[in-house]
Amino acid sequence: MFKYFTPLLLLTTGMATAQAAPPTATVSQLMTKALPDFPGKEALVLMVTYPPGSVDPVHRHNADAFVYVLEGAIVMGVRGGKTVTLTPGQTFYEGPNDVHTIGRNASASKPAKFIVVLLKSVGKPAVIPAK
């Protein structure tokens, strides 16, 4: 009986591990401010914390997005652009037409933290799923 049980146990354990979702980012809204010089636009400031191994789904912002890394290292990329690894003090930009295809923590053992400033239309969502 055990000669059949062990391979089955290994197979099902491996399947459960392979299907486990990566940890998700924690996003905290720090500030929203209407921009009187740009009617209908606002600035939205977010702090994003990636736990070790965190990966973002493919998305877009329909906004100008400015990223500033505070801690750790993150990997960022937009469709058609170069993938970059950013460390504290480095920046990244996403335009309103960009699709953010790569966003993840570069480390499987340390968290990463960054600030995002979005210049977007008032009342529109900050993140939109994309393909």
Side-chain angles (χ1 to χ4, degrees):
M1 175 177 176
F2 288 110
K3 70 180 183 179
Y4 298 108
F5 180 76
T6 302
L8 181 60
L9 178 63
L10 291 174
L11 179 63
T12 57
T13 302
M15 286 172 49
T17 302
Q19 293 175 359
T24 57
T26 301
V27 179
S28 302
Q29 183 173 318
L30 303 179
M31 175 185 193
T32 301
K33 178 72 174 160
L35 301 173
D37 291 346
F38 301 96
K41 297 291 184 177
E42 66 184 358
L44 173 61
V45 182
L46 305 171
M47 181 171 321
V48 180
T49 303
Y50 279 161
S54 180
V55 177
D56 282 339
V58 175
H59 65 277
R60 61 182 303 126
H61 297 288
N62 289 348
D64 291 282
F66 300 88
V67 173
Y68 180 82
V69 180
L70 298 170
E71 299 174 16
I74 62 174
V75 180
M76 295 280 165
V78 296
R79 186 168 291 146
K82 287 178 55 176
T83 300
V84 295
T85 300
L86 306 167
T87 56
Q90 293 186 305
T91 59
F92 185 77
Y93 170 78
E94 282 180 62
N97 297 314
D98 287 330
V99 175
H100 191 152
T101 54
I102 300 169
R104 65 179 172 83
N105 189 334
S107 174
S109 61
K110 296 178 183 172
K113 187 181 290 187
F114 57 98
I115 297 286
V116 181
V117 177
L118 295 164
L119 302 179
K120 64 180 214 51
S121 295
V122 173
K124 299 293 182 179
V127 179
I128 302 161
K131 293 182 182 184

